[in-house]
Amino acid sequence: MPPKGRGARRSPRQRQNKNKKSGIPAGSAANAANAAAPTTTTTTAAAAAAPPTAAAAPTAAALPRPNSNNGEVSVVWFRRDLRTDDNPALNAAVAAGRPILPIFIWEPEEQGQFQPGRGSRWWLNRSLARLEDDLKAIGARLAYLRGTTALRALRSLFARVDVKELFFNNLYDAVSLARDCSVKETLNNEGVTVTTFNADLLYEPWEVLGSGGEPFHTFEAFWSRMQCLSYAPRRPESAPARIALPSSDVFDALREVACTRDELALLTEDEDRCTESLSARWRPGGHGARRIFESFCRHALESFSWERAKVDIASTSQLSPHMHYGEISVRRIYYAVKDLEYAAARNETRGVTALSEEAEPPAPYDEMDDASTLAVRRRRVHEDARRTGCRLGDDTPAGMANMPRTPAGAGSHHTAGKPAREVEGPHGEYLRCLGLREWSRYLSFFYPFTHERSLLSQLRAVPWNYDETMFHRWKMGTTGYPLVDAAMRQLWSTGWLHNRMRMVVASFLVKHLLLPWQWGLRHFWESQLDADL
């Protein structure tokens, strides 16, 4: 965890500084939260202050370096960021000026009990195929590595290819934090610069803290603080137009350690047959994600506030599987919705162009030259600040709280006595759902034990009913409760559930049947396309 208060006071320029070379020592999952933190959070001040060229030189016992004239390359490690659009690690590697080798590592053994389930592996297999096509379009080739651990696979690659820098985007669950911590420390000590970025969240977890620098315990406090930050999320970046390929010698050396996607054997033959129904329902990949989101914005976003809880219609965006594997950027979604919200507030009619790769990005909200609009915005900001208890100065820069709202949330005379969904409007309600996703990552970062035991101590000694017969009936949708059974059958056939139905079946399992929540976690993990810690 960063020193108290520092994350919250960091300026936008400091926040956008992407050179996060880390010297964090390896640790357990419980204390590995610093693995994704910026340089200022490292435990060794000298390492944090050292320039990029001051990395520790490899010793005789360190990683053996290739002696061929392959030429220096940069490696981009794709994990759950399977896209070329708004991928900070990929863009930084292009800016470094070296030839780029994109890789994907399959190391399920390292993930222990949280190896991807059947549904998640089906999605991963097809998402990687789409990523291959996207990379080919800009001149790159995706290489696959197989290892028991990511570090072993990387060291095997680096022994054959002259890699100067490794780029990848942060993950925030306990398993990934512990792994990334070990990778950073080891490779930095062996002369490879490791640079990491935020591609999964609007704000890093350490940027949203209380007044004393402490993490929040409730979503409402977290969301209120997040909306009052003095700077907006970083704007999305387009995909690189072209990527420089390494020399043929690099690919010759790569044959010794690389494999094909089919050789990864992500699915067995039986599993592949069991997932045939998913192909008719889903289109993994960035193109499928953009198509779904554009359709949602055109047909369902305006009615999201009052129809989001309906489970008999397509009332939600259903983007969660796409977002789990990073096929679409959360910042791209955020600014597209804000653009539509502003258009609605101005009584304008605009098409959904924010996701089009050819379209110009919308102008930043702090650069609008309409004086009357700016005055209305400033008044709304301070009214919202008084309502939420946040303190904003008269010259507060344009941040998340300063974004224009729909007329429903314009002021206290409009909002008095109204439900939150009417106050925030459909756009604000959808952004709040993005905030819940941020909150889940936030909990994983600051409370990495929550996948093993309850965050609330009074719930850690529940007298569970260990009835495996009843658990099997719950899984197969044969409990005799029509709503629960319909939801469980939908989960089995489509790999996805409306969030309201997820709460219904989970509450039924834990509160009605008194079955251990860990049992339900394992079934959800195996069945859901978007299973996440």
Side-chain angles (χ1 to χ4, degrees), residues 169-448:
N169 294 311
N170 293 327
L171 297 173
Y172 302 92
D173 60 274
V175 176
S176 299
L177 287 168
R179 176 193 60 204
D180 295 351
C181 183
S182 175
V183 167
K184 289 178 182 180
E185 181 195 25
T186 302
L187 295 184
N188 275 324
N189 290 338
E190 292 175 348
V192 178
T193 302
V194 179
T195 314
T196 64
F197 306 88
N198 171 26
D200 190 47
L201 299 173
L202 297 174
Y203 296 100
E204 297 276 25
W206 52 85
E207 294 182 89
V208 187
L209 299 171
S211 57
E214 71 285 352
F216 293 105
H217 293 82
T218 64
F219 171 72
E220 291 300 333
F222 165 81
W223 181 238
S224 177
R225 174 57 183 158
M226 186 172 167
Q227 291 181 298
C228 291
L229 290 178
S230 60
Y231 49 89
R234 185 182 62 82
R235 299 197 69 85
E237 303 172 354
S238 59
R242 202 71 183 167
I243 287 180
L245 273 176
S247 66
S248 58
D249 292 337
V250 170
F251 290 102
D252 290 340
L254 194 61
R255 290 195 184 98
E256 301 178 22
V257 294
C259 61
T260 65
R261 179 166 50 85
D262 291 337
E263 290 172 340
L264 294 180
L266 297 175
L267 288 171
T268 65
E269 291 184 7
D270 291 340
E271 288 175 331
D272 195 38
R273 284 193 293 268
C274 290
T275 54
E276 288 180 354
S277 62
L278 299 178
S279 300
R281 173 67 176 77
W282 300 98
R283 293 291 182 270
H287 177 73
R290 291 189 292 273
R291 179 179 59 84
I292 287 180
F293 182 58
E294 290 178 5
S295 176
F296 171 74
C297 288
R298 294 180 188 278
H299 305 296
L301 180 57
E302 287 299 325
S303 60
F304 185 73
S305 293
W306 57 87
E307 289 191 344
R308 57 173 298 212
K310 296 181 179 180
V311 299
D312 58 335
I313 60 173
S315 58
T316 64
S317 64
Q318 302 182 25
L319 278 173
S320 55
H322 296 280
M323 296 184 72
H324 170 69
Y325 276 114
E327 297 169 350
I328 185 170
S329 164
V330 66
R331 287 184 285 259
R332 185 73 68 187
I333 294 173
Y334 172 81
Y335 278 106
V337 174
K338 294 303 295 186
D339 187 45
L340 291 171
E341 182 184 33
Y342 178 70
R346 294 280 300 268
N347 294 320
E348 296 177 357
T349 303
R350 298 181 183 178
V352 183
T353 60
L355 295 180
S356 173
E357 295 178 357
E358 295 79 20
E360 292 292 326
Y365 295 100
D366 54 334
E367 294 178 4
M368 297 174 185
D369 54 3
D370 190 326
S372 60
T373 302
L374 291 174
V376 171
R377 281 178 51 210
R378 184 172 296 279
R379 184 176 69 252
R380 292 178 183 174
V381 167
H382 286 278
E383 288 174 348
D384 291 339
R386 286 193 297 271
R387 180 166 53 86
T388 59
C390 298
R391 296 182 180 179
L392 299 175
D394 292 336
D395 56 350
T396 301
M400 191 169 182
N402 302 45
M403 296 295 186
R405 296 177 180 268
T406 54
S412 59
H413 61 286
H414 290 289
T415 63
K418 289 189 176 183
R421 63 178 182 273
E422 294 186 23
V423 173
E424 296 181 341
H427 306 89
E429 186 78 3
Y430 188 77
L431 293 178
R432 183 182 177 88
C433 291
L434 289 184
L436 287 168
R437 178 181 179 273
E438 301 265 321
W439 173 242
S440 71
R441 300 289 196 271
Y442 190 85
L443 290 177
S444 294
F445 184 82
F446 285 110
Y447 309 101

Side-chain angles (χ1 to χ4, degrees), residues 461-480:
V462 176
W464 298 115
N465 174 30
Y466 296 93
D467 187 337
E468 295 187 5
T469 301
M470 186 57 70
F471 176 64
H472 180 75
R473 293 179 60 182
W474 176 81
K475 286 197 306 181
M476 303 308 296
T478 58
T479 64

Side-chain angles (χ1 to χ4, degrees), residues 90 94 99-100 102 135 138-140 240-245:
L90 181 61
V94 172
I100 295 174
L135 288 172
I138 57 177
R242 202 71 183 167
I243 287 180
L245 273 176

